[in-house]
Amino acid sequence: MARSDELIQELEHSDYVVIGTPMHNFTIPSALKAWVDHIVRVRRTFNATKEGYKGILRDRPVYVAVSSGGRYSGGLARQPDFLTPYMRTVLGVIGFTDVTFFSVEGSSLDQEAVTEARAGADRALREHFSPSCVWLHSP
Ligand SMILES: Cc1cc2nc3c(=O)[nH]c(=O)nc-3n(C[C@H](O)[C@H](O)[C@H](O)COP(=O)(O)O)c2cc1C
């Protein structure tokens, strides 16, 4: 309980949350699941009501950076994705609804695919954090 309190207080004092995670067996790795199990706590970070779960924590931006050996989104995906819907749902339970995902998908593919995936992630980050900027070329 002491560790759970500590991790929840860390969230309560944060302006935003950044999570970096690989995909393991189509979802989050067990270490991240252990963190989830410490911070999603009834009557502390959420209440169970007749209408469903109600988050207690103040909403704030959450950024989740995902790396995966294969692709899990888009037309070339050949595997299911239980990671993004799970994280969106479980963070929503405690009150975090402003969740943005960035990904480098295909880290085990050939070098060209990895370079492309990294460039895509860079682009997505720039577009998200500097929406008014026009990027003419990559530095
Ligand atoms: C136990 C384990 C399970 C994995 N499961 C998946 C998976 O389901 N889908 C996938 O695309 N990659 C999977 N991978 C590959 C990792 O997601 C990939 O290597 C990722 O780039 C690791 O992140 P890192 O490079 O930041 O360490 C798995 C790797 C490990 C070790």
Side-chain angles (χ1 to χ4, degrees):
M1 289 301 271
R3 184 75 177 128
S4 166
D5 285 337
E6 194 183 317
L7 293 172
I8 291 167
Q9 278 160 21
E10 189 176 47
L11 285 179
E12 285 171 332
H13 295 143
S14 68
D15 295 323
Y16 52 85
V17 179
V18 179
I19 298 171
T21 181
M23 173 179 274
H24 277 182
N25 295 312
F26 319 124
T27 186
I28 57 170
S30 52
L32 183 54
K33 178 61 164 53
W35 176 78
V36 167
D37 293 342
H38 278 73
I39 57 126
V40 180
R41 215 170 96 195
V42 70
R43 293 184 297 280
R44 182 65 181 81
T45 55
F46 76 96
N47 285 316
T49 74
K50 280 192 189 128
E51 291 78 43
Y53 295 149
K54 294 270 189 285
I56 293 176
L57 300 189
R58 173 178 53 80
D59 206 358
R60 70 207 75 199
V62 182
Y63 303 104
V64 186
V66 184
S67 62
S68 60
R71 297 186 180 101
Y72 61 83
S73 70
L76 294 172
R78 297 290 177 270
Q79 62 179 333
D81 168 23
F82 298 108
L83 189 157
T84 53
Y86 175 70
M87 287 305 282
R88 203 178 279 288
T89 301
V90 84
L91 291 166
V93 166
I94 62 172
F96 294 172
T97 63
D98 180 8
V99 184
T100 307
F101 290 88
F102 298 97
S103 66
V104 174
E105 299 176 39
S107 64
S108 66
L109 303 179
D110 58 56
Q111 191 52 50
E112 196 183 332
V114 175
T115 304
E116 200 179 303
R118 292 184 74 92
D122 282 348
R123 243 186 342 265
L125 286 162
R126 282 178 184 156
E127 278 165 18
H128 186 84
F129 290 103
S130 316
S132 57
C133 273
V134 178
W135 296 88
L136 299 175
H137 59 84
S138 293

